[in-house]
Amino acid sequence: FKQELTRKSMKVTKMKKSPKSAWLVVAGTIASISLIIGGLNIAGILAFDHPQVGPDLPFGNATSSLVAIVPGSEPSVGELAMATLDGQRNLVRVDAVSNGSFTIATMAGSMDVTMESIDGQVSFVIPFLGVLWTLIGQ
């Protein structure tokens, strides 16, 4: 019994790590994610954007989320897209497409826009990460 107790206590002492190494792991993870996001933005594969205006989603308001878009892609009917309207980035839904004109549903209602106003089709949404963008000023 004493031997077993000694082995368990040794495992506990081996598992404890210094707070300094924990901070290094956190900093390394944040740096890696930042480099991946930056690389995807530069390559034009994905662009990460923070909506300034948007609807309530099942996991919170759109303004508390980070949105990954495919830059310059043309969204289809029923898909979400990011659009720049009146200088603000909006998370919108495409209701209709007709000869390069899009009817989109916004928080202010339905409106017709051209492809120049649409930043891209939404690929996926990361909930709650947009709060960090709000803190650092977009």
Side-chain angles (χ1 to χ4, degrees), residues 29-106:
T29 303
I30 290 172
S32 298
I33 291 171
S34 299
L35 289 173
I36 290 170
I37 289 173
L40 289 172
N41 280 340
I42 290 171
I45 298 169
L46 281 178
F48 291 87
D49 205 355
H50 176 245
Q52 295 170 312
V53 179
D56 286 330
L57 302 171
F59 43 80
N61 196 309
T63 58
S64 68
S65 301
L66 191 62
V67 178
I69 62 171
V70 180
S73 63
E74 189 173 307
S76 307
V77 174
E79 293 181 337
L80 293 177
M82 285 294 293
T84 304
L85 306 170
D86 298 326
Q88 291 190 321
R89 292 181 303 279
N90 290 265
L91 182 62
V92 299
R93 186 185 72 238
V94 177
D95 288 338
V97 179
S98 174
N99 296 332
S101 177
F102 296 88
T103 302
I104 57 173
T106 67

Side-chain angles (χ1 to χ4, degrees), residues 88-134:
Q88 291 190 321
R89 292 181 303 279
N90 290 265
L91 182 62
V92 299
R93 186 185 72 238
V94 177
D95 288 338
V97 179
S98 174
N99 296 332
S101 177
F102 296 88
T103 302
I104 57 173
T106 67
M107 294 297 293
S110 193
M111 63 186 343
D112 292 328
V113 296
T114 61
M115 186 60 191
E116 287 132 14
S117 298
I118 295 181
D119 301 326
Q121 173 186 348
V122 172
S123 181
F124 59 90
V125 177
I126 304 170
F128 312 117
L129 198 56
V131 173
L132 297 176
W133 264 248
T134 304

